[in-house]
């Protein structure tokens, strides 16, 4: 099975037909898709003016989308290296039991679903790399009360997500599933209160 880098080479190869180059970019998202596969594809198409179903997109736009994806992947791989080093030090110091932060990281290993968007059509508009840098900064700082991707304060607890975690706090602004470790306990409690209020207004 081809890896991310070999697929990226196919995307850039002018000798390949455009349908294959587009297909290779879609396959890249099986290896790295911060918002989830469908939402990341929608994001790249929106930012680089490509039609999601166009089988022969402008090659310049196709490569620009790949450039954005690769830059974000570099950001995430750097973070994962630092994370692995930290866990090694913690284990050396006798801290073997992972906490809630590590539980979140386990589900996002490899960068898929790092800033998961449960609704594929709702995702941040900023470049992927910028969003990941903001997210990493928030993970390395004290918990706060706002979405790290867009600074929106309205975060809504959402049930019945399509995969693990099956529920959690979703930003009402940019649509990402906010990692619980970046939110204070008060912000998490408020997200659940907003959810209950929304349900009550529907009833």
């Amino acid at each position: 099975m081809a890896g991310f880098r070999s697929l990226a080479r196919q995307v850039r190869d002018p000798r390949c037909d455009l349908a294959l180059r587009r297909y290779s970019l879609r396959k890249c998202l099986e290896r790295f898709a911060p918002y989830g596969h469908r939402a990341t594809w929608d994001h790249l198409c929106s930012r680089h003016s490509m039609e999601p179903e166009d089988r022969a997109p402008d090659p310049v736009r196709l490569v620009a989308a790949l450039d954005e994806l690769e830059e974000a992947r570099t950001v995430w791989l750097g973070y994962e290296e630092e994370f692995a080093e930290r866990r090694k030090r913690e284990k050396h110091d006798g801290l073997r039991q992972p906490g809630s932060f590590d539980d979140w990281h386990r589900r996002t290993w490899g960068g898929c679903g790092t800033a998961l968007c449960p609704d594929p059509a709702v995702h941040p508009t900023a470049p992927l790399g910028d969003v990941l840098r903001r997210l990493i900064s928030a993970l390395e700082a004290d918990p706060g009360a706002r979405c790290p991707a867009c600074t929106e304060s309205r975060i809504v607890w959402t049930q019945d997500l399509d995969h693990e975690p099956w529920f959690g706090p979703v930003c009402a602004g940019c649509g990402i599933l906010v990692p619980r470790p970046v939110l204070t306990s008060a912000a998490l409690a408020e997200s659940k209160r907003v959810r209950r209020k929304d349900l009550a207004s529907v009833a």
Side-chain angles (χ1 to χ4, degrees):
M1 184 170 64
F4 185 96
R5 285 184 292 181
S6 61
L7 289 166
R9 282 195 294 271
Q10 284 186 339
V11 176
R12 288 198 168 88
D13 190 345
R15 295 168 298 178
C16 296
D17 67 59
L18 282 172
L20 175 60
R21 294 171 70 181
R22 175 193 179 275
Y23 173 78
S24 297
L25 181 59
R26 289 298 299 259
K27 294 295 283 184
C28 283
L29 301 184
E30 294 179 8
R31 280 83 179 153
F32 180 73
Y35 301 155
H37 189 285
R38 290 173 58 207
T40 304
W41 179 247
D42 191 79
H43 166 84
L44 292 174
C45 289
S46 297
R47 279 191 47 80
H48 299 283
S49 303
M50 298 187 298
E51 289 296 325
E53 300 304 323
D54 186 357
R55 304 295 176 192
D58 180 339
V60 173
R61 294 177 181 181
L62 197 65
V63 171
L66 174 64
D67 287 343
E68 179 178 344
L69 188 66
E70 283 184 318
E71 195 259 343
R73 184 171 178 266
T74 299
V75 170
W76 187 251
L77 290 177
Y79 167 72
E80 284 196 334
E81 286 179 16
E82 292 176 6
F83 176 86
E85 284 298 316
R86 177 178 69 80
R87 285 297 295 143
K88 191 184 297 184
R89 290 194 303 271
E90 289 174 348
K91 288 178 181 178
H92 181 268
D93 294 338
L95 183 60
R96 299 262 168 198
Q97 184 64 37
S100 62
F101 173 82
D102 301 283
D103 187 49
W104 170 81
H105 191 270
R106 173 185 58 80
R107 291 193 297 267
T108 61
W109 188 259
C112 288
T114 303
L116 184 69
C117 298
D119 181 346
V122 181
H123 42 74
T125 57
L128 285 168
D130 290 355
V131 171
L132 290 184
R133 286 187 193 91
R134 293 171 196 165
L135 182 62
I136 290 166
S137 294
L139 288 165
E140 294 172 343
D142 292 333
R146 293 179 176 272
C147 170
C150 70
T151 72
E152 170 68 49
S153 60
R154 188 165 185 266
I155 297 170
V156 181
W157 192 263
T158 304
Q159 303 282 2
D160 302 322
L161 300 177
D162 289 339
H163 53 74
E164 187 185 7
W166 307 109
F167 47 81
V170 174
C171 176
C174 68
I176 73 163
L177 178 65
V178 182
R180 287 186 231 182
V182 309
L183 295 173
T184 63
S185 55
L188 281 170
E190 175 63 14
S191 73
K192 294 175 183 178
R193 188 191 69 76
V194 170
R195 168 69 179 170
R196 285 195 298 274
K197 184 174 72 175
D198 288 350
L199 287 175
S201 67
V202 170

